[in-house]
Amino acid sequence: PAMAGTPPTVPGCPSVQPGLGHCQGSRGSSAARPGELWDAVVLTAADAAQAGAFREQLAEKLRREQLPRAVRYLVCADPPGPRIGNGGSTLHALRCLEEQYGDQWTSFTVLLIHSGGYSQRLPNASALGKIFTALPLGEPLYQMLELKLSMYIDFPRHMKPGVLVTCSDDIELYSTGVTEAITFDKPGFTALAHPSDLAVGTTHGVFVLDPSSFSGKGGLEYGSCYRFLHKPDVETMHQSGAVCVRRDRPQLSSPGSCGDSAVASECVYTDSVFYMDHSTAQQLLHFYKQMGTLGCEIDAYGDFLQALGPGATPDYTKNTRNVSKEDSGLVAVRQQLYSLLQGTALNVIVLNNSQFYHIGTTQEYLFHFTAESKLRFELGLQPVAFSICPDSARTLDQLSIIQSILEPGCVIGPGSVIEYSRIGPEVSVGKGSIVSGSYINFSVDIPSECFLSSVSVKMADGVEYVTMVFGVGDDLKKSVKSLSDIHSLRFFGASLPECLDLWSLEASDQLFSSEDTRLGLWTARIFPVCSTLSESVRMSLNMLNSVQHKSAFKVSGFQLLSVEEMLTYKDVEDMLQFRKQIYDEICLQRQKEKSDYRMNGT
């Protein structure tokens, strides 16, 4: 935690970075005393393939001493069958902990990170996982996992055995007094609460605080929650007594935080991470074992926290307004959870001087990494991080080059992110684009607001390559049920049927990979499989070019995959090998620069 009035330092990040302090915490630390580190860090995964990808990356990080060795790392794949949501993943992870560690886990402090999504709104994180998203920070780079461990570095030593639940794509920064520590020692649930404006409250959980338990003053307060609202509308917030008025201006104000001006402003306290003590976790595990299988998606926030506090009512169990996929058993499971948890305390740690950031979409990713964002300032994010880059590109502050090799002559437009890529001398990238995991060694102009991400795939003939290309604003989650409706799907501004005509592809059920009639950009088999990485990039950019210029480009002779299938066939080892080649080359360059510097300095 930082001193008020200074950018929050994130404990455990390298001290060479602006805005960051204490360099030992989250990397290779084996000399920690008992209780200083988490006993276990659990990553949830959507399926066995994703779990395998996570384990491979964890092993590589431990080999490079980029994670504390004294911590147990457990990857827990959701069971096969219907999706179970992050609530189901939480229950299943508790079971994995018991199976793996037996009675030992009763004394554990556990960090449970929900990382099992397919990242449809930020698809450059789909193949290897959002928790392994690289940040433009550190030498070598920090990924979200190390940032999480750094942000929560002080928590285990002030925590009784239990589980802290967090998501893989959010960042919480807070500032407290020097002597104040965040303590998780109460029975039941304990949640962090952040002041936010009412618009933010409509997409988050909102706490109705017991007014007698908190004043709204000071950096840190412990209070109790009367009732928890899940994504409420503004009217519900007012009627429930969730809205507070603040007259002071928090040091960490930014668009979306409370009190941007010193005048009175309305705000609500929204959720981020929560803790449950071991006996509550044990109670939920017992419930899960009794259930056998869930058969529906449950939400760790909406379905656990809404049952808590003296003001909780069972009304929410029947409200499926915010549910992505309604299952027949959902209401019954919610009612059973409500009966189980009713009367359990919901303690709240109010962080009046804090800010919650989300990096789960292409827009948020581009904004926080390249624009004048508050987060960029707070963490000291760099325009060029652990990369070889010509001086001409370094003059631009509004971009983000992450573990990449750019050759002199290439041009990167403002507001663009290049990660884990090799960019040749005759490449120009427009504004606000994302290029990930690609090798571009030919002359090309990549348009503005283009999303380009390459994936290695295991096919019958060995390793091959596919590159997905979209507009950064294209909706990969949108799907329709019938072929007659696919005209509503947009690819870089054009309707999907228009694109198919240009590519000589026929709209048919065979064009889509999903089994359950979900027809969308995610499941459309439109991306050619190629024998080299650069050829796959060239093919996909030719497809995009044909849509932009309404000129035909035939892909019907190729084997075509959907994004969904790319993830099924992904070759994690090959993708990590490509990153390692870039890593090794950058390390060699760094050593050469050091020795040149020494030679010149003597």
Side-chain angles (χ1 to χ4, degrees):
M3 298 293 291
T6 62
T9 54
V10 178
C13 286
S15 53
V16 294
Q17 294 298 333
L20 295 168
H22 313 317
C23 71
Q24 293 311 310
S26 74
R27 287 207 155 158
S29 169
S30 52
R33 291 189 291 276
E36 281 198 344
L37 296 172
W38 298 97
D39 293 304
V41 171
V42 181
L43 305 184
T44 65
D47 51 38
Q50 193 176 55
F54 290 1
R55 289 187 191 105
E56 254 180 85
Q57 291 173 91
L58 284 171
E60 178 71 3
K61 282 180 168 297
L62 286 163
R63 196 181 61 70
R64 287 184 185 167
E65 299 198 332
Q66 291 174 359
L67 290 174
R69 289 184 169 280
V71 174
R72 300 164 185 85
Y73 297 94
L74 181 64
V75 179
C76 182
D78 287 352
R83 287 169 69 167
I84 56 175
N86 60 18
S89 295
T90 302
L91 300 175
H92 191 66
L94 299 178
R95 182 175 220 157
C96 291
L97 278 162
E98 186 183 63
E99 285 171 359
Q100 188 75 19
Y101 304 114
D103 289 344
Q104 214 185 342
W105 89 283
T106 60
S107 64
F108 280 7
T109 54
V110 177
L111 175 62
L112 170 57
I113 307 174
H114 284 299
S115 34
Y118 292 111
S119 193
Q120 289 174 295
R121 295 183 300 165
L122 187 62
N124 52 316
S126 296
L128 297 177
K130 277 196 278 201
I131 192 62
F132 297 101
T133 298
L135 299 161
L137 183 68
E139 296 250 343
L141 285 179
Y142 274 74
Q143 292 179 330
M144 278 298 278
L145 176 57
E146 292 104 293
L147 184 63
K148 288 270 167 193
L149 292 175
S150 303
M151 287 190 303
Y152 308 149
I153 199 166
D154 292 327
F155 289 0
R157 74 185 84 164
H158 301 291
M159 181 181 285
K160 286 190 172 170
V163 181
L164 187 81
V165 178
T166 184
C167 291
S168 58
D169 58 5
D170 58 40
I171 294 171
E172 302 83 22
L173 298 182
Y174 59 89
S175 174
T176 60
V178 188
T179 56
E180 293 178 310
I182 293 180
T183 306
F184 299 93
D185 59 356
K186 295 185 170 68
F189 287 79
T190 302
L192 299 187
H194 311 271
S196 302
D197 66 26
L198 274 55
V200 172
T202 61
T203 58
H204 284 77
V206 171
F207 300 101
V208 181
L209 297 169
D210 177 351
S212 65
S213 72
F214 104 115
S215 67
K217 297 187 177 75
L220 176 129
E221 280 192 282
Y222 292 87
S224 59
C225 181
Y226 175 72
R227 187 180 166 201
F228 178 84
L229 309 171
H230 187 56
K231 299 183 180 177
D233 56 35
V234 172
E235 191 185 355
T236 306
M237 292 183 227
H238 278 287
Q239 285 172 349
S240 310
V243 179
C244 309
V245 175
R246 296 184 61 174
R247 285 186 167 75
D248 57 329
R249 177 191 244 172
Q251 280 95 339
L252 275 185
S253 68
S254 80
S257 77
C258 258
D260 274 345
S261 60
V263 297
S265 58
E266 287 188 328
C267 74
V268 287
Y269 284 91
T270 54
D271 63 347
S272 63
V273 309
F274 69 83
Y275 159 87
M276 49 181 155
D277 72 325
H278 183 77
S279 69
T280 305
Q282 199 75 54
Q283 220 180 338
L284 282 168
L285 174 57
H286 182 64
F287 165 80
Y288 182 56
K289 286 177 178 171
Q290 279 184 317
M291 288 289 297
T293 53
L294 279 176
C296 62
E297 285 190 49
I298 58 174
D299 185 335
Y301 295 82
D303 295 331
F304 293 173
L305 303 187
Q306 281 188 106
L308 310 175
T313 70
D315 299 350
Y316 73 90
T317 59
K318 296 188 181 69
N319 175 9
T320 52
R321 182 171 54 98
N322 289 317
V323 175
S324 58
K325 191 173 164 213
E326 204 171 322
D327 306 275
S328 51
L330 178 62
V331 172
V333 172
R334 279 180 169 178
Q335 286 170 340
Q336 285 167 283
L337 276 167
Y338 177 76
S339 304
L340 176 79
L341 295 172
Q342 194 190 5
T344 305
L346 177 52
N347 308 293
V348 177
I349 299 172
V350 177
L351 297 169
N352 283 311
N353 194 16
S354 68
Q355 187 66 45
F356 171 94
Y357 299 95
H358 187 249
I359 306 186
T361 69
T362 50
Q363 268 86 358
E364 290 168 337
Y365 179 79
L366 287 167
F367 173 69
H368 289 306
F369 283 15
T370 70
E372 290 298 306
S373 85
K374 199 83 176 163
L375 178 70
R376 201 178 189 212
F377 166 71
E378 308 287 10
L379 288 182
L381 301 182
Q382 303 293 291
V384 178
F386 197 60
S387 294
I388 297 172
C389 188
D391 290 340
S392 55
R394 289 174 181 271
T395 55
L396 267 179
D397 192 41
Q398 283 189 308
L399 48 69
S400 188
I401 313 292
I402 304 169
Q403 196 169 318
S404 294
I405 297 172
L406 279 63
E407 292 189 38
C410 70
V411 178
I412 311 297
S416 286
V417 176
I418 312 290
E419 63 158 9
Y420 299 119
S421 294
R422 289 178 180 272
I423 309 292
E426 297 178 78
V427 178
S428 87
V429 178
K431 297 176 184 175
S433 290
I434 296 170
V435 177
S436 174
S438 298
Y439 177 32
I440 313 177
N441 60 351
F442 49 90
S443 173
V444 67
D445 292 342
I446 296 172
S448 292
E449 296 180 13
C450 171
F451 175 89
L452 185 80
S453 181
S454 304
V455 178
S456 309
V457 288
K458 281 182 190 154
M459 306 307 282
D461 298 334
V463 183
E464 302 211 57
Y465 302 90
V466 196
T467 297
M468 62 179 98
V469 66
F470 296 105
V472 289
D474 289 354
D475 186 354
L476 272 64
K477 285 189 101 161
K478 181 176 179 173
S479 65
V480 295
K481 288 209 164 67
S482 103
L483 286 172
S484 56
D485 294 327
I486 64 168
H487 58 85
S488 67
L489 302 171
R490 313 293 295 178
F491 175 94
F492 220 91
S495 77
L496 187 58
E498 271 180 80
C499 301
L500 298 175
D501 284 347
L502 293 166
W503 302 329
S504 302
L505 295 176
E506 198 183 322
S508 67
D509 288 333
Q510 286 68 48
L511 182 75
F512 295 91
S513 59
S514 80
E515 293 162 18
D516 55 358
T517 66
R518 276 196 311 217
L519 316 178
L521 294 182
W522 188 257
T523 57
R525 291 184 169 121
I526 53 176
F527 298 112
V529 178
C530 298
S531 57
T532 68
L533 180 52
S534 63
E535 192 53 30
S536 86
V537 177
R538 186 199 296 268
M539 285 297 298
S540 294
L541 286 173
N542 282 341
M543 292 171 68
L544 178 58
N545 185 59
S546 90
V547 171
Q548 280 195 295
H549 298 100
K550 303 282 183 273
S551 57
F553 179 74
K554 193 173 177 181
V555 295
S556 48
F558 284 80
Q559 180 179 3
L560 303 171
L561 295 184
S562 66
V563 180
E564 181 180 59
E565 288 172 320
M566 288 183 207
L567 303 186
T568 305
Y569 300 126
K570 67 176 178 273
D571 186 330
V572 173
E573 214 169 312
D574 192 73
M575 293 178 76
L576 293 180
Q577 185 57 34
F578 178 67
R579 291 183 176 189
K580 187 178 185 301
Q581 286 166 359
I582 295 174
Y583 175 89
D584 290 345
E585 208 169 309
I586 294 167
C587 287
L588 271 174
Q589 172 84 2
R590 291 287 190 272
Q591 283 167 354
K592 185 177 173 299
E593 284 168 5
K594 270 186 191 165
S595 67
D596 288 354
Y597 178 75
R598 284 198 200 101
M599 295 277 287
N600 296 333
T602 52

